[in-house]
Amino acid sequence: MLDAINKFIQKILKDLFRKKKHVKLGLYGPPNGGKCVTPDTEVVLASGKVLPIKDLFDYVNSRKDNFDLNAASEIIIQCDDLNLRVPSFDTEELTIVNKRVTHLYAQRYSGTVYQIRTSSGRIIKTTPVHPLIRLSDAGVEKVKAEKLQVKDSIAIAQKVQLLSSLQLRTASELLVTLADGTVQSVSAHHKPKPITAPVAITPELVRFVAYTLSESYHTKNRIIFSNCDDNLLADFEAISEKLFKLEPIHRINKGVPQRELNSKSLTDYLHLSLGLKPATSEAKAIPDQFMGLPDDYVAEFIRTYADCEGSVAKESRSGGASIEIASKSKKLLEQLQLMLNRFGIVGRFMPKLVNGELYYRLLIRGSGNHRLFRDKIGFSIRYKAERLAHLCEVGEKRNTYFLPIMNLLDKIRREAGATQAEFFLDDKHAARMLRDNRITPARLQKMSEQHGNVEIIQKLARSDALWDSIAEIKEIPYDGFVYDVTIEGTHTFLTSSGIIAHNTTLANRICQDWLGEDMGIVSSIPHETREVKIKEQINIKSGKKELSFNLVDTPGIATKIDYEDFVKHGLSVKKAKIRAKEATKGVIDAIKWLDDMDAVIVVLDSTYDPYSQVNITIIGNLQARNIPVLIAANKVDLKKSDLKKIEAAFPQYRIVGISAKYGKNMDRFYEELFELV
């Protein structure tokens, strides 16, 4: 009889939720929310495409769900079936690997954003709780932006492998194909000059595009290349005739030789096949397809561009000698740096005013970078090649990047019983290195050859990241949408400037925020959340199922709150008593909010005994109110996890085991959530 009554009640509840358009979902295990970057943050895809994170969100939204941003304050889109991949930093192995994007996220946010600028000129704007990857004597850790300080060292990319095809789109799909095999643009008023069209990217096409992006005036129907070097002019002319059967016009403008191509068919072809559209100097960008070409093609592009726009210091100066590459386009220089990452070369971004106009410089400093540039790329212009060879010979003593881990390394040295000279391979500079708490990557690399059994040295020496110190942190008011992505497994993504950011959308939000598993950056003080908060109009979609809900963020429920517990965590007695009072009120409010919930997710730690007084209090209150419950059993990745105990303790409820740290079993969690409501 009781079973029949229970089934009848469950049927009524299911019918009720089917009719509801919006669900109030209570989560006991509080989120912190808002871990995002601003919409102009450019994200790097594994294909080589670099685009603002808002554009990536809009693209996925158009392919998947078409959510209306104006109608919601928070939107999460599952997109693991689109096979979007990004370079992602593995914080365990310290390598950059291509990983799948599983979710895109947008949230309306009003408050402070942190603009962080590093010593090398890299900039990122994030909400206060968005994590970046920091290296310190504590090791590699993710740290919220609001906890970072000037001089902290954060991860930037050093080695990145992108991948794209050499094959070009068929010309017949883009332009009109004539009887002789040439192609021609469509025009209502005249017949544009036809061209031959390459079917694949070749070294010649790579150089032609580099010439076009460097010192060319590029409009909708012409390309004018200007340069004083006879060899570069001759190469541009030879490529134009070989690839496109076009003979450039010779001109001289203000004493500078020019080669002019008048062909709308050519400019249309470049736009349609490569995305190389006419642009002003500040809007130029390298075609996406060029970013992931083979090493020799990438080197060909960089060498040609640097021949035109690069310079090399005559000799080492007190300010530090460098290879300098300049452009009015910040995006183009960031793309060029990503190309240099292919060879482990990392430069610095610096603004430069020329006749009152803003330019950007990419400065390549340090003997290691200079030798890599010489060996992997080089210059075809003789005097630049000779200057570079001189720099490599005399050595550039200024170091650009450091690792702030000398205290950690010295502790390892003392435990090993080694002298400073033996361990650091140095008997002169170790004291200064310890005083400044910094060591160069070059010295660490040498140490790795001698200390093969020291794991931290080995990992950092072969790491795909460098560590860039923060030069400035600004707090800026912001009101609008912020965005984030969830990356499968590694949970980090790469911005166009090379800064590595941590991701925290729905799957990762449950893993690292809602479940309190923030990997060292959540507060160790109990009852950090002491009041009820509400997030409205959250939309998620999985397959054909869609759920719209208000999320009620509640303090954790406890049966006893003692101010002495706060004192043990370093609070003064006065502050501890205030916090205990606030926490007590928060628990009472949380219990009251149960009456207004349509469904509740209860988060339990699967490594602990489920028969605790706190768990009984929560589950008992929910059962008394006949509120549907989903139990999320966290930490199933740990050996101490015992999911069967939780299932035995609460057999009447849906239970799904998940891993907060690794995002395990999230698909099933979503399915159970949809079934619940």
Side-chain angles (χ1 to χ4, degrees), residues 313-537:
K314 290 183 180 180
E315 58 186 23
S316 182
R317 302 186 297 270
S318 59
S322 65
I323 302 167
E324 178 180 320
I325 304 175
S327 176
K328 288 191 76 174
S329 170
K330 183 180 180 183
K331 178 172 182 176
L332 188 148
L333 277 193
E334 289 180 340
Q335 290 177 298
L336 199 66
Q337 171 59 83
L338 285 169
M339 284 183 156
L340 288 165
N341 283 149
R342 179 72 64 90
F343 309 107
I345 298 171
V346 182
R348 296 165 58 90
F349 296 102
M350 300 287 287
K352 179 181 182 180
L353 282 176
V354 179
N355 298 324
E357 293 189 76
L358 180 62
Y359 283 76
Y360 297 92
R361 299 180 296 164
L362 180 60
L363 303 177
I364 302 170
R365 292 176 173 167
S367 297
N369 277 330
H370 293 162
R371 286 190 287 270
L372 283 171
F373 196 97
R374 177 197 62 191
D375 299 341
K376 302 294 186 180
I377 301 166
F379 289 97
S380 61
I381 296 178
R382 178 178 295 179
Y383 80 88
K384 293 184 180 181
E386 290 174 348
R387 288 183 183 178
L388 176 57
H390 178 69
L391 284 185
C392 293
E393 182 181 343
V394 299
E396 214 288 77
K397 296 182 180 179
R398 168 173 288 199
N399 292 301
T400 304
Y401 301 100
F402 298 89
L403 296 87
I405 57 169
M406 275 298 292
N407 295 324
L408 171 61
L409 294 177
D410 199 51
K411 180 183 177 183
I412 295 172
R413 175 193 69 81
R414 292 194 304 271
E415 291 174 350
T419 66
Q420 289 184 346
E422 291 169 341
F423 192 77
F424 296 113
L425 313 181
D426 180 280
D427 57 359
K428 293 192 304 182
H429 304 102
R432 175 179 54 79
M433 291 156 56
L434 277 166
R435 182 194 67 215
D436 298 337
N437 190 29
R438 61 185 198 174
I439 185 171
T440 65
R443 183 177 297 279
L444 196 75
Q445 180 64 46
K446 290 180 181 178
M447 289 171 59
S448 73
E449 297 167 5
Q450 297 293 322
H451 308 308
N453 60 334
V454 183
E455 184 180 12
I456 184 69
I457 293 178
Q458 293 300 316
K459 280 190 175 183
L460 287 170
R462 64 173 184 261
S463 172
D464 289 343
L466 283 178
W467 306 93
D468 197 0
S469 63
I470 295 175
E472 180 185 62
I473 301 175
K474 285 184 178 180
E475 294 186 28
I476 302 172
Y478 182 84
D479 188 10
F481 273 90
V482 288
Y483 298 81
D484 210 343
V485 293
T486 293
I487 311 303
E488 181 180 55
T490 47
H491 305 299
T492 59
F493 62 94
L494 184 62
T495 66
S496 60
S497 68
I499 291 178
I500 296 167
H502 207 276
N503 75 113
T504 49
T505 55
L506 180 62
N508 204 35
R509 172 183 298 265
I510 293 171
C511 292
Q512 294 160 343
D513 297 333
W514 292 356
L515 308 183
E517 292 293 318
D518 229 3
M519 293 175 64
I521 62 172
V522 294
S523 174
S524 60
I525 302 175
H527 298 283
E528 189 64 26
T529 300
R530 299 182 297 282
E531 60 182 10
V532 174
K533 297 178 181 178
I534 304 172
K535 286 181 174 291
E536 297 183 339
Q537 291 182 299

Side-chain angles (χ1 to χ4, degrees), residues 52 83 86 93 120 246 297 384 469 493 510 526 601 622-623:
N83 199 30
V86 300
E93 297 300 321
S120 68
L246 292 174
Y297 285 62
K384 293 184 180 181
S469 63
F493 62 94
I510 293 171
I601 300 168
L622 295 170
Q623 190 172 23

Side-chain angles (χ1 to χ4, degrees), residues 527-567:
H527 298 283
E528 189 64 26
T529 300
R530 299 182 297 282
E531 60 182 10
V532 174
K533 297 178 181 178
I534 304 172
K535 286 181 174 291
E536 297 183 339
Q537 291 182 299
I538 300 174
N539 296 278
I540 62 174
K541 189 170 184 178
S542 179
K544 296 181 179 180
K545 300 175 182 178
E546 184 173 351
L547 176 62
S548 175
F549 60 89
N550 289 354
L551 180 66
V552 180
D553 173 6
T554 71
I557 296 178
T559 56
K560 178 186 177 183
I561 298 174
D562 193 328
Y563 81 90
E564 291 182 352
D565 292 335
F566 299 110
V567 174

Side-chain angles (χ1 to χ4, degrees), residues 263-302:
S263 173
K264 189 175 186 302
S265 298
L266 172 62
T267 56
D268 283 353
Y269 171 76
L270 293 173
H271 183 189
L272 295 171
S273 65
L274 281 172
L276 182 63
K277 58 185 178 182
T280 56
S281 297
E282 60 271 17
K284 287 185 176 181
I286 299 171
D288 298 334
Q289 195 170 347
F290 272 40
M291 299 299 296
L293 296 178
D295 288 0
D296 53 341
Y297 285 62
V298 171
E300 188 96 23
F301 180 90
I302 298 172

